Amino acid sequence: MDLGLHDRVFVLTGASKGLGYATAVALVADGARVVISSRSSSLVSAAVSRLGPLAHGLAADLSDSSTPLQLVDAAMGHFGRFDGALISVGGPQPGTAAAVSDSAWRDAFETVFLGSVRAARVFATALAAGDGGAIGLVLSRSSREPLRGLGLSNGLRPGLAGVAKDMSDEYGPQGVRFVSLLPGSILTDRSREMFEAGGDPERASEEAGAKVPLRRIGTPEEFGRVAAFCLSPAASYLTGITLPVDGGALRGL
């Protein structure tokens, strides 16, 4: 299937590793060009080297209000166009909503929530001024159901899904689409850290997989292919939705 990605240009935040990087790999494999970013210049450089000549990168932090426009300018300056974006930020620290401190809530709000909202607004405005495009937000299953011990995520992710839906209405007439992606149990570095925290990572991984209807944990590559499709012209009538990529773990219809 031709996804129509050849020569299109996408910005991906938090993409030096994990789900953002897996999406970049899938996009490049179909001929797209990517501008990737994360806070670590060394990780960005290593990721760009692996991705090859269709990739460009820069170290940037979404909590900095100037970052989104810098990323759009990098896409235009390096590749001459801008067709869409994947907004991914690291998950906030674990802990119940009542247990985490005010400062933790403020930090998570600035990075996870406000940083994502600002980026979505800047990217959508740039796309609306051109031929339109697509914006994907990497959220979490917590957008639909609270997850035990992840109070910050439970509080902020549903709000981001609501923002994406609101923006899909506002920018839809200009041809800008929004899709919220809800990864479930996927074997990322963050997942490995959480498994290792319990002292028996192999058992923790097996137990997590046993709770999924497909009876296994997903891979970043499986997420990346779904995200690349949603950003592509092949998904041109898909907008304003939350799409679980979780092996069937969410129990809601």
Side-chain angles (χ1 to χ4, degrees), residues 216-247:
R216 64 179 178 84
I217 293 176
T219 67
E221 293 76 18
E222 288 176 306
F223 176 90
R225 289 191 291 269
V226 173
F229 167 74
C230 290
L231 292 173
S232 78
S236 57
Y237 206 53
L238 196 67
T239 191
I241 66 165
T242 56
L243 179 62
V245 188
D246 66 354

Side-chain angles (χ1 to χ4, degrees), residues 73-96:
D73 289 344
M76 295 298 298
H78 199 78
F79 293 120
R81 59 186 293 172
F82 174 53
D83 299 286
L86 184 78
I87 301 171
S88 177
V89 297
Q93 71 179 58
T96 65

Side-chain angles (χ1 to χ4, degrees), residues 38-109:
S38 80
R39 288 177 291 184
S40 168
S41 59
S42 61
L43 289 177
V44 169
S45 296
V48 168
S49 179
R50 293 193 302 272
L51 288 165
L54 296 182
H56 176 68
L58 67 158
D61 188 340
L62 280 187
S63 64
D64 184 337
S65 61
S66 67
T67 290
L69 188 56
Q70 287 178 7
L71 293 172
V72 173
D73 289 344
M76 295 298 298
H78 199 78
F79 293 120
R81 59 186 293 172
F82 174 53
D83 299 286
L86 184 78
I87 301 171
S88 177
V89 297
Q93 71 179 58
T96 65
V100 294
S101 66
D102 284 2
S103 62
W105 275 107
R106 291 191 189 97
D107 289 345
F109 177 81

Side-chain angles (χ1 to χ4, degrees), residues 6-250:
H6 188 71
D7 286 340
R8 291 181 180 265
V9 178
F10 296 89
V11 164
L12 299 94
T13 73
S16 61
K17 59 181 181 178
L19 302 181
Y21 177 75
T23 304
V25 169
L27 290 168
V28 166
D30 260 45
R33 292 167 286 180
V34 298
V35 174
I36 67 168
S37 72
S38 80
R39 288 177 291 184
S40 168
S41 59
S42 61
L43 289 177
V44 169
S45 296
V48 168
S49 179
R50 293 193 302 272
L51 288 165
L54 296 182
H56 176 68
L58 67 158
D61 188 340
L62 280 187
S63 64
D64 184 337
S65 61
S66 67
T67 290
L69 188 56
Q70 287 178 7
L71 293 172
V72 173
D73 289 344
M76 295 298 298
H78 199 78
F79 293 120
R81 59 186 293 172
F82 174 53
D83 299 286
L86 184 78
I87 301 171
S88 177
V89 297
Q93 71 179 58
T96 65
V100 294
S101 66
D102 284 2
S103 62
W105 275 107
R106 291 191 189 97
D107 289 345
F109 177 81
E110 288 290 336
T111 55
V112 175
F113 190 87
L114 183 56
S116 296
V117 171
R118 183 190 299 117
R121 183 174 60 230
V122 172
F123 295 156
T125 300
L127 292 170
D131 297 324
I135 297 173
L137 286 86
V138 182
L139 302 182
S140 164
R141 284 173 51 208
S142 62
S143 299
R144 287 202 192 169
E145 65 179 20
L147 299 177
R148 188 179 299 276
L150 294 177
L152 291 175
S153 183
N154 295 336
L156 298 176
R157 301 293 196 188
L160 284 172
V163 167
K165 182 66 172 177
D166 187 89
M167 288 191 180
S168 73
D169 292 339
E170 183 170 356
Y171 289 96
Q174 286 79 50
V176 182
R177 300 185 295 107
F178 284 82
V179 176
S180 296
L181 298 157
L182 314 184
S185 294
I186 296 179
L187 195 57
T188 61
D189 289 343
R190 176 172 166 81
S191 297
R192 289 188 180 92
E193 290 173 1
M194 294 178 71
F195 293 152
E196 290 169 359
D200 190 344
E202 185 174 348
R203 180 178 178 181
S205 177
E206 291 175 353
E207 289 177 348
K211 297 176 183 177
V212 179
L214 290 181
R215 294 299 185 268
R216 64 179 178 84
I217 293 176
T219 67
E221 293 76 18
E222 288 176 306
F223 176 90
R225 289 191 291 269
V226 173
F229 167 74
C230 290
L231 292 173
S232 78
S236 57
Y237 206 53
L238 196 67
T239 191
I241 66 165
T242 56
L243 179 62
V245 188
D246 66 354
L250 270 172

